[in-house]
Amino acid sequence: MQEIAPGIYVVKPEGKPIYPYSNSVWIDDGLSLLIDVGAGSRVYQRELTRPVDIVLLSHAHFDHLHCSDLFLNSAMWAAAEEAIIYRDEAAYLSFHGYDHWNQMMGGIPRPPYGDVNPVGDDVPVKPGYRYFELAGLIEDGTVFSTDRYTLRAVHLPGHTQGHYGFLIEELNMLISGDLDFHRGGPGYYNASGDVGELLRSIERVKRLDPERAVPSHRGVQQGEMASKLDAYARPVLERIERLCEYLAIPRRERDMYEIKLLFSNPAHIYEDFWNRMTMLHHLEHLRAAGLVREIEPGVLQRV
């Protein structure tokens, strides 16, 4: 556990903060407040020295919420945009894009993700739908106050519809969730992923101009934020450029789903599916931006 300001700690997994794990941020400052619960059960049991009053979930992905049962006595808050996912299994499945599975995967049955990519023994549950009792809903501008700090929720959609960061105003520090500054760029392969919204969220963080950012899957970021965010957005913009060049001549839309935009060598069937979902979102973006048109049923070309 790393103290990054008085009473503020990054709670790190025992290994790397990559799936099925993520960093949490614990604020122990009068109120005990924890952002995300995906660092692994042993870490929380060892590092948290007093009960947590409030849990804030940055978004509804398994690697951010799998230890929720350790905090059943805490008030759990989640995005208003994703509230239904925590109480309705059909909405959960739709959120992950599984409505598209049969069409995109040619009728191949969908195996449980926990069987395809097993989790460690400090992840107390397998991926899949679970009911959550929420104490409150996070919206853009929702404020949480501790003795010294004011946390303001910042809606940063694109990765998911209800993805949130939290700005600690006194420190100009952004807990940025899965807007994580990875050199490979962001992921946006769930059903509510959105290329345009993601690019606008990156621009919003640039305007906020935080002194530090604390992402879920990397170390604390400090200095040259604008250039780091530009580098983070660049793979998305390069995919847009690549697709526009590819569509200089007519292409069948169904053939485009064979292009591997995200995972060049998919390790399992879900990575193949996420490549296809990523293409779906890019084609939605190109249509919305007026960059492509359907010249005949199922055939696209650049405008």
Side-chain angles (χ1 to χ4, degrees):
M1 190 162 69
Q2 175 189 4
E3 186 170 18
I4 56 175
I8 302 179
Y9 306 87
V10 179
V11 184
K12 301 179 179 182
E14 292 180 339
K16 293 181 179 179
I18 57 176
Y19 185 91
Y21 303 105
S22 63
N23 296 321
S24 295
V25 174
W26 182 37
I27 301 177
D28 183 17
D29 183 51
L31 190 72
S32 175
L33 187 150
L34 186 65
I35 300 172
D36 286 337
V37 289
S41 57
R42 286 191 294 269
V43 169
Y44 296 122
Q45 292 164 346
R46 182 175 64 245
E47 302 288 357
L48 301 188
T49 55
R50 70 184 185 98
V52 170
D53 300 309
I54 295 176
V55 170
L56 306 179
L57 299 175
S58 64
H59 61 294
H61 277 169
F62 179 76
D63 53 336
H64 294 258
L65 49 79
H66 58 64
C67 283
S68 60
D69 284 356
L70 299 181
F71 303 98
L72 294 177
N73 294 323
S74 307
M76 192 160 298
W77 288 61
E81 296 84 356
E82 296 178 352
I84 192 172
I85 297 164
Y86 297 94
R87 64 175 186 267
D88 183 274
E89 185 172 8
Y92 167 88
L93 294 171
S94 180
F95 167 78
H96 285 283
Y98 298 149
D99 295 347
H100 298 276
W101 182 278
N102 284 338
Q103 179 183 358
M104 289 196 170
M105 304 307 293
I108 299 173
R110 182 176 67 85
Y113 185 57
D115 293 348
V116 172
N117 192 7
V119 298
D121 62 2
D122 61 340
V123 177
V125 296
K126 286 187 174 182
Y129 173 73
R130 291 184 297 134
Y131 175 82
F132 281 65
E133 187 70 42
L134 298 179
L137 300 180
I138 302 167
E139 298 179 339
D140 192 51
T142 300
V143 170
F144 301 88
S145 298
T146 69
D147 285 355
R148 285 173 286 189
Y149 302 119
T150 305
L151 279 76
R152 176 165 55 88
V154 182
H155 189 210
L156 299 172
H159 178 62
T160 72
Q161 180 185 19
H163 180 268
Y164 275 83
F166 300 92
L167 183 69
I168 303 176
E169 294 184 341
E170 291 79 4
L171 303 173
N172 194 22
M173 178 192 296
L174 181 67
I175 315 303
S176 62
D178 270 7
L179 201 158
D180 67 359
F181 298 81
H182 191 278
R183 65 181 179 274
Y188 37 92
Y189 44 77
N190 285 145
S192 70
D194 188 292
V195 174
E197 292 279 15
L198 181 58
L199 293 172
R200 286 188 286 274
S201 290
I202 294 171
E203 288 300 313
R204 185 177 187 187
V205 176
K206 287 173 69 175
R207 291 193 302 273
L208 287 172
D209 192 23
E211 291 185 16
R212 285 186 285 175
V214 186
S216 296
H217 297 289
R218 294 194 69 198
V220 175
Q221 304 294 304
Q222 186 168 3
E224 300 181 343
M225 285 296 183
S227 62
K228 289 179 179 179
L229 288 162
D230 286 342
Y232 183 59
R234 190 168 299 123
V236 183
L237 299 173
E238 289 174 349
R239 289 170 194 150
I240 294 171
E241 182 178 359
R242 174 184 170 192
L243 289 174
C244 285
E245 291 176 356
Y246 184 72
L247 286 165
I249 62 173
R251 305 282 186 176
R252 291 190 303 178
E253 182 172 353
R254 68 184 184 188
D255 293 339
M256 297 191 67
Y257 288 96
E258 301 300 323
I259 299 173
K260 297 176 176 61
L261 286 179
L262 191 62
F263 300 99
S264 57
N265 295 293
H268 48 68
I269 192 170
Y270 276 86
E271 290 190 354
D272 186 11
F273 175 63
W274 294 333
N275 273 333
R276 295 165 188 266
M277 289 296 292
T278 300
M279 177 60 76
L280 172 67
H281 292 316
H282 269 283
L283 293 179
E284 290 171 342
H285 176 70
L286 293 176
R287 285 186 169 105
L291 296 173
V292 302
R293 63 189 178 95
E294 192 169 39
I295 61 173
E296 60 181 82
V299 179
L300 301 177
Q301 187 173 11
R302 186 179 73 200
V303 173

